[in-house]
Amino acid sequence: MAENATELSSTAKRKCLGADCENDAEALQCPSCLKIGITGSYFCSQDCFKKNWSQHITLHKTAQGKTQNVTGAYNPFPTHPFTGSVRPVYPLSARRSVPKSIRHPDWAETGIPKGEKRLNRSKIDILDAKGQYAMRKVCKLAREVLDITAADLKPGITTDYLDEVCHKACIERN
């Protein structure tokens, strides 16, 4: 039975976490991730791991910042040298869900925008008529959401409440 489990896990295909890397991952895992307890950080080669280190290290910082205490709150800025007694407390409210009908960006799960890494920053995309129409539609919806959120601004309102208003307005517009 144990031999079958080992055999099954060795044949399972894992994708490399490297940006723009479509290779299957080998057994190479990030040693820092193993120490912190992050699972599934496999890379296809040492070179790929080194090439993606500057981006991959953000996972370590995120994981270390999310170490929760007894109350369930965590400090999202663990390395910031605070001078006063005020500290951030997260989460302020429960995580807001996004319906499956709304397309999720590639960074929704990991926080790493792989699609943006593939962009050529020196090239400007010229939109065709269909792209211009879509951009106008998105900008109009964004303006509506900002106006709805701004309408609720008044003294004493928390940013968490404004985030809730904004989130609901976005969900209503799909």
Side-chain angles (χ1 to χ4, degrees), residues 1 22 25 28 38 43-44 49-50 90 110 142 149 161-162:
M1 185 76 155
E22 299 297 326
L28 176 65
I38 299 173
F43 290 88
C44 62
F49 177 66
K50 287 179 182 177
Y90 288 87
T110 62
T149 306
Y161 173 75
L162 293 174

Side-chain angles (χ1 to χ4, degrees), residues 3 5 39 64 67 70 78-79 93 102 107 137-138 144 150 170:
E3 289 176 18
T39 58
Q64 288 170 344
T67 53
V70 185
T79 58
S93 59
I102 297 176
W107 48 264
K137 182 178 177 181
V138 168
E144 289 175 11
C170 289

